[in-house]
Amino acid sequence: MGSHGIKDRVAIVGMGCTPFVEHWDRGTDDLLIEATAEAFADAGVRKEQVDAYWLGTAQSGMSGLTLAKPLQLQGKPVTRVENMCATGSDALRQAAYAVASGAYDVAMAVGVEKVKDGGFQGLNAFPIPGDGTARTLTAAAMFSMVVPAYGEKYGVSEGEMREVLSHIAAKNHYNGARNPRAQFRKEIAAEKISAMPKLAGQLGVFDCAGVADGAAAAIVVRAEDAHLYTDKPLYIKALSLVAGNGSGVIDPEYDYTTFREIAACAEDAYRQAGVTDPREELAMAEVHDCFTPTELVLMEDLRFADRGTAWKDVLAGAFDLDGRLPVNPDGGLKSFGHPVGASGLRMMFEAWLQLRGVAPAERRIPADGRKLALTHNLGGYPGDMVSFISILGNELG
């Protein structure tokens, strides 16, 4: 069941990432050129040497022309990818499988979103005709339901839950304050976060990730060719994608304390990579912290904590930068920002920096011999989502 995987058959040999901020003076073309130029330079590759391109964007372009025009590509296949908030990750997944298949020698995955000056608060979601049963709550409202559900199931008081969520947000702002590419670069005390106005349920302003503009890119080749491009490649150990069937929204047994698609995706990814104890084997993780309770539940779905215990681990600092398993050392969606089409590749960019030992010293993860990183995206809402997980490593085997 699930993918047979492509463990150690494909390597990332170059990456690039723009700052994720409000680029009022720059367009989609500018962001794409900047991210790809950094990746080309990183790998020592010219655009003509890339056999095929995959472009992930939710709403900043309709086809491969969105990338081919600014890069002035000649006679190259460019595939546009969209898979909600897993868009950038899925672009990388498709590029990697294309290389693993032997169809191409060199491929590039690019993600971009440019929405901040579009006249909307975030993505301008267009209405898709349906049967009238789709949920109409905001994303914040839907994820806010996790908070009382988790507290009731595991006996965590409202005050304790507030402390846990504020710790998650403060941690990510602490990390983001040390990241020159992040959208929000200020530390914020947990007490201040707790005092913020509420937006939905118990979620306050700083429980929610920011929408940003940005782009990121990765170049992939066969693993045996990696050292032709760099002496520090990242090897792909696992790529897992799970699309839910929406059953959670109609299942009376669904209780909002787990995301079933993520748990299934994690099992598949760990099987592909041969990971049996993620808490001990992973050096770091980048997870989809669209809201603070999302990160809390992910710690259990990804098996970083036992069921009902992640809140204690959060308060104990287990996932802090100097903790047992650093989570979101670049600031996460919460602090780095969330241009939907680019976020998945941005997560891999952090693994690229950290596992190769070139991340800024002030936010570098502990050098304890662990050599694997996990990245995770989700798109959708509790009970109805897609999930992506990659596991990357700096050594073969």
Side-chain angles (χ1 to χ4, degrees), residues 28-29 32 55 57 60-70 80 112:
T28 302
D29 290 1
L32 288 169
L55 169 68
T57 187
S60 296
M62 292 297 293
S63 74
L65 294 173
T66 305
L67 181 66
K69 286 182 177 180
R80 184 252 175 149
V112 68

Side-chain angles (χ1 to χ4, degrees), residues 1-21:
M1 181 179 178
S3 170
H4 295 299
I6 55 171
K7 181 181 179 181
D8 288 337
R9 290 166 58 190
V10 177
I12 299 172
V13 294
M15 291 205 74
C17 185
T18 71
F20 282 13
V21 294

Side-chain angles (χ1 to χ4, degrees), residues 68-214:
K69 286 182 177 180
L71 266 58
Q72 284 296 285
L73 301 176
Q74 298 289 334
K76 299 292 186 179
V78 185
T79 304
R80 184 252 175 149
V81 179
E82 195 283 322
N83 207 350
M84 302 177 83
C85 294
T87 292
S89 293
D90 207 357
L92 184 284
R93 172 177 168 271
Q94 294 183 38
Y97 273 110
V99 168
S101 75
Y104 301 110
D105 296 326
V106 183
M108 175 176 260
V110 187
V112 68
E113 218 66 63
K114 179 74 175 79
V115 297
K116 290 301 291 185
D117 51 4
F120 300 91
Q121 291 179 329
L123 287 177
N124 177 27
F126 50 88
I128 299 173
D131 61 5
T133 62
R135 291 181 288 185
T136 57
L137 295 173
T138 65
M142 284 186 266
F143 280 95
S144 75
M145 296 179 185
V146 171
V147 183
Y150 187 98
E152 180 178 350
K153 182 171 184 176
Y154 297 118
V156 188
S157 70
E158 184 174 329
E160 289 172 319
M161 285 298 294
R162 180 62 267 166
E163 186 180 358
V164 170
L165 302 183
S166 293
H167 186 102
I168 290 171
K171 166 185 70 75
N172 290 338
H173 275 281
Y174 176 91
N175 296 346
R178 288 150 180 78
N179 188 342
R181 305 187 197 222
Q183 182 178 25
F184 302 116
R185 298 199 58 213
K186 290 184 179 180
E187 293 183 39
I188 304 177
E191 296 77 16
K192 186 173 182 179
I193 294 169
S194 295
M196 285 293 111
K198 298 297 183 285
L199 297 180
Q202 297 177 36
L203 297 189
V205 173
F206 284 106
D207 289 305
C208 310
V211 176
D213 299 330

Side-chain angles (χ1 to χ4, degrees), residues 369-387:
R370 289 180 287 181
K371 301 179 184 301
L372 297 176
L374 177 147
T375 74
H376 162 265
N377 285 126
L378 66 83
Y381 311 102
D384 185 16
M385 61 176 59
V386 299
S387 173

